[in-house]
Amino acid sequence: MSLANVVVIGAQWGDEGKGKITDLLSRSADVVVRYQGGVNAGHTIVVDEKVLKLHLIPSGILYPDTVCLIGSGTVVDPKVMLGELDMLAENGIGVQGLQLASTAHVTMPYHRLLDQAMEQRRGDRRIGTTGRGIGPTYADKSERNGIRIIDILDEARLRDRLAGPLAEKNEILQKLYGIEPLDFDAVVAEYVAYGKRLAPHVVDCTRAIHQAARARKNILFEGAQGTLLDLDHGTYPYVTSSNPVSGGACIGAGVGPTLIDRVIGVAKAYTTTAAAWTICHRRR
């Protein structure tokens, strides 16, 4: 199948089955780019009766010649990502094709705690978040107060970048929600360890994509959730914290719109707004 550079999006609220389309197109893709969202999305894949659950890593990782790039517009929970890498390795699937943007933002432990505490406090006005810290991570990104992948690759850099945000978040956790504060040294040690394991996969996202484009590689841009969950254009406030629309691919991947040849929107015959974040499909 001829591919060129294609964006695949959900045309409704997610759960349209776009994982099947993405998986089909991944067979012809040289590069698959996940451009937004975090561990609040993903695929469950069945291969030879083995169940593989992926929240961050594109299903294209199952094709040995396909490069899978986690773009700058995503938010990454390193613990979850490393768990996925370990799971793939245990099932004999190579991960040498995985690349991770150095500028992607990191979900920290206080993001998860705040997400859960804020959702509980909303009571009957709950948004329906997954409680995995996605919204607070994007909020810190917008406030220029976030931690990026590049920051967890060096302990001294992480200590410098984390000192202010963690002190602020600890005060909020303790005084507003009655949650015990997080230990600074423990958080640094945990995330530096994550950084050491992820370091071999870290790349300059925009450069990697443009190099692939200049080499006339087929690039597939994979979004999470669906159009009607878009932060700006969806059913606000019952939306996600990023931009799953096709234009979000340009921002999250760091490319211009002229690089995109085609957009494929996936819809289903009926619509629901249930928070069914995981798309299940079967590979043959």
Side-chain angles (χ1 to χ4, degrees), residues 151-223:
D151 299 325
I152 68 173
L153 302 183
D154 179 80
E155 182 174 348
R157 181 186 179 103
L158 180 58
R159 285 184 172 275
D160 178 62
R161 296 296 177 104
L162 184 63
L166 184 56
E168 175 187 300
K169 296 302 189 296
N170 271 342
E171 189 168 1
I172 294 172
L173 288 170
Q174 191 171 25
K175 294 184 177 180
L176 188 58
Y177 297 109
I179 298 173
E180 286 298 312
L182 296 165
D183 181 78
F184 178 79
D185 291 327
V187 174
V188 168
E190 179 184 358
Y191 279 76
V192 167
Y194 294 151
K196 288 180 179 178
R197 289 195 58 194
L198 291 173
H201 301 282
V202 177
V203 299
D204 181 323
C205 173
T206 303
R207 177 177 294 180
I209 296 173
H210 280 283
Q211 286 176 340
R214 283 196 295 270
R216 304 188 70 81
K217 302 289 187 179
N218 292 327
I219 306 172
L220 175 63
F221 297 89
E222 174 184 350

Side-chain angles (χ1 to χ4, degrees), residues 55-132:
H55 294 284
L56 282 167
I57 300 175
S59 60
I61 198 68
L62 301 179
Y63 300 104
D65 296 326
T66 301
V67 172
C68 291
L69 174 57
I70 310 297
S72 297
T74 61
V75 292
V76 177
D77 187 324
K79 184 176 181 179
V80 173
M81 188 171 189
L82 288 168
E84 292 182 12
L85 288 173
D86 290 341
M87 178 268 296
L88 290 168
E90 289 168 3
N91 284 277
I93 299 168
V95 295
Q96 64 276 6
L98 179 68
Q99 297 182 349
L100 173 61
S102 61
T103 47
H105 277 250
V106 177
T107 295
M108 303 298 289
Y110 47 78
H111 291 136
R112 292 189 294 271
L113 292 171
L114 285 170
D115 193 2
Q116 294 161 17
M118 289 188 293
E119 184 73 344
Q120 184 176 5
R121 175 165 286 209
R122 291 185 185 108
D124 293 340
R125 301 187 68 182
R126 289 190 179 107
I127 294 172
T129 76
T130 59
R132 296 189 173 189

Side-chain angles (χ1 to χ4, degrees), residues 13-29:
W13 281 276
D15 194 31
E16 303 95 348
K18 64 181 177 295
K20 294 181 180 179
I21 306 302
T22 300
D23 182 57
L24 176 65
L25 294 176
S26 293
R27 302 175 189 181
S28 304

